[in-house]
Amino acid sequence: MAENTVDATLWCRSPLPAPDAPVRLVCFPHAGGAASYYHPVALALTPDVEVLAIQYPGRQDRHTEPCVDDIGTLADHVHDALRDRLDRPVVFFGHSMGALVAFEVARRMERDGGGPVHLFASGRRAPSRYRHETVHQRDDDGLVAELRSMSGTDSRVLEDEEVLRLVLPALRSDYRAVETYRHEPGASVRCPVTVLVGDDDPKTTLDEGRAWGEHTTGAFDMQVFPGGHFYLTDRATDVIEVLRARLKSAANQPDREPA
């Protein structure tokens, strides 16, 4: 196994360590999001599941570090950071931008002979479904308008100029990463993929969600919830139950760490 070239403790956060859990859920945040977004997931699933949340640079306790504005580069770093955390079956969950990062990390792990036993892609159209978007080129007011339209950011953050100054650079970088991402033709994973999407999501139509089926040679299914891009805020209990069912099955599977 290759030696780590990144500090895994910076990238991988375990809100509630569960060393005896039979399965690990790795969660990838949305654009502008942070590892702390998944603390409620850890509260709901621990101790049966160990939740590991990815912390991208440029936010919260990593706010002094340069942001990474390329999905492939992010995936390379996360792939490296996860090398020593494959001691049990691993499931990936990514929301919005996080779904793309999770997909690319899964591809890298599978090239090594391992990989997650299941991938959840939430609130994001399939890698092959492209839209021309230029949110990252807007001024700060334009970025804030985008945040408001997605209804995924606490209104207190949007009204606090000092906090916004801290958040906007990471948000702009993340949007640049998403909007300039181009999948490798024919890119797919071997693991089963479950898509979760809101039925009124302006960023992902149901057809764009179903297209994830083209990116796995494993099983595919899609769960549709009432709501928009951040449907999972209002449907947290339902989403947790979907995760719980798949994680229970994953716990009984052998891990896919390379020999």
Side-chain angles (χ1 to χ4, degrees):
M1 180 180 292
E3 184 179 353
N4 284 26
T5 58
V6 302
D7 184 347
T9 62
L10 290 176
W11 290 84
C12 303
R13 308 298 171 86
S14 182
L16 298 170
D20 296 325
V23 61
R24 179 175 283 127
L25 176 67
V26 182
C27 298
F28 297 77
H30 53 279
S36 58
Y37 183 77
Y38 290 106
H39 187 71
V41 178
L43 286 173
L45 296 176
T46 307
D48 299 322
V49 176
E50 182 169 71
V51 174
L52 195 69
I54 301 301
Q55 184 78 310
Y56 309 132
R59 64 214 71 206
Q60 292 187 335
D61 61 331
R62 301 189 71 185
H63 72 274
T64 60
E65 300 178 46
C67 298
V68 177
D69 61 2
D70 177 77
I71 296 293
T73 303
L74 273 174
D76 287 339
H77 290 323
V78 176
H79 173 228
D80 203 12
L82 288 174
R83 289 186 189 277
D84 294 332
R85 288 163 171 79
L86 305 177
D87 56 322
R88 67 196 83 173
V90 173
V91 173
F92 284 179
F93 178 94
H95 181 66
S96 196
M97 180 185 86
L100 292 179
V101 181
F103 173 70
E104 289 295 341
V105 175
R107 293 182 62 220
R108 286 155 174 74
M109 289 175 66
E110 289 187 348
R111 288 172 189 161
D112 291 345
V117 297
H118 204 105
L119 168 64
F120 288 91
S122 168
R124 181 66 197 180
R125 55 190 176 271
S128 55
R129 296 306 186 263
Y130 170 72
R131 297 186 192 181
H132 179 66
E133 295 175 316
T134 57
V135 174
H136 73 277
Q137 295 176 354
R138 297 180 187 177
D139 61 15
D140 287 352
D141 288 343
L143 280 178
V144 172
E146 177 72 7
L147 284 179
R148 292 186 188 278
S149 71
M150 292 296 100
S151 301
T153 303
D154 191 324
S155 60
R156 292 171 295 182
V157 172
L158 299 176
E159 294 165 4
D160 189 322
E161 185 176 346
E162 184 175 352
V163 174
L164 275 177
R165 282 200 300 268
L166 293 174
V167 170
L168 289 180
L171 183 70
R172 188 182 302 280
S173 176
D174 289 352
Y175 267 97
R176 183 180 297 112
V178 171
E179 293 176 347
T180 60
Y181 170 77
R182 300 294 182 271
H183 80 295
E184 182 180 308
S188 67
V189 292
R190 297 191 300 272
C191 65
V193 172
T194 296
V195 167
L196 309 178
V197 64
D199 61 5
D200 195 31
D201 187 346
K203 294 293 186 180
T204 305
T205 67
L206 299 188
D207 284 345
E208 288 172 327
R210 290 189 191 96
W212 274 96
E214 302 170 14
H215 296 275
T216 178
T217 58
F220 172 79
D221 69 307
M222 186 168 82
Q223 302 280 333
V224 181
F225 299 88
H229 190 59
F230 282 93
Y231 71 90
L232 66 177
T233 300
D234 294 328
R235 297 287 168 175
T237 300
D238 297 333
V239 173
I240 288 295
E241 287 311 306
V242 171
L243 288 173
R244 196 188 304 277
R246 299 299 196 281
L247 287 160
K248 184 176 181 180
S249 174
N252 297 320
Q253 297 185 42
D255 66 71
R256 299 174 66 188
E257 182 182 7

